[in-house]
Amino acid sequence: MFRFRFSFRSAAALRVLWLIYWVGMAAAMHMPVPERMHLPVAGGDKILHCLMYFLLTMLGARVLMLRGGLTNRRLAMWGAVYLAYAALDETLQPLTGRSASVNDWLADATGIVLASSILSTQTARSDNMEGS
């Protein structure tokens, strides 16, 4: 399997990218939505929620891979952190003129679970290859 080796600089850059993405995502989720803004797809905001948390989980996992390896335990722990953050995010949105939605949180959770499932499968395959 092809493995890209990260130098210290690229590992640090990836951590910074992950944090910038998370902060940017938090800012975007708390900006008031213009009344004229409509997505061309029904339920499109749910797709965006799912995609944003999918990417957050994938970026975070890449950082974990560089900092001691990615295990299913660490993946589950960070998945729980992201789920809690998504719930907090939804809870705080009414303070900025947006509405809290359980469906948005479910879309967030779907993105986290999808990414975690893919990563867990990769982790299991990697463990099996190394053990052979």
Side-chain angles (χ1 to χ4, degrees), residues 39-128:
L39 296 172
V41 177
D45 69 316
K46 305 304 180 259
I47 294 169
L48 287 176
H49 277 264
C50 182
L51 184 61
M52 290 174 76
Y53 278 88
F54 179 89
L55 290 173
L56 177 67
T57 304
M58 293 299 266
L59 278 172
R62 297 301 172 208
V63 171
L64 287 174
M65 287 177 184
L66 299 174
R67 301 195 71 193
L70 181 65
T71 63
N72 283 333
R73 183 175 184 193
R74 291 178 85 189
L75 188 58
M77 184 196 73
W78 275 99
V81 168
Y82 295 142
L83 287 169
Y85 171 74
L88 178 66
D89 178 47
E90 285 301 319
T91 303
L92 295 177
Q93 283 186 7
L95 299 176
T96 60
R98 296 183 68 159
S99 59
S101 166
V102 171
N103 288 335
D104 285 349
W105 182 82
L106 289 172
D108 301 340
T110 300
I112 295 164
V113 169
L114 282 172
S116 296
S117 297
I118 291 168
L119 292 161
S120 179
T121 301
Q122 289 179 342
T123 302
R125 282 186 185 166
S126 175
D127 289 346
N128 287 340

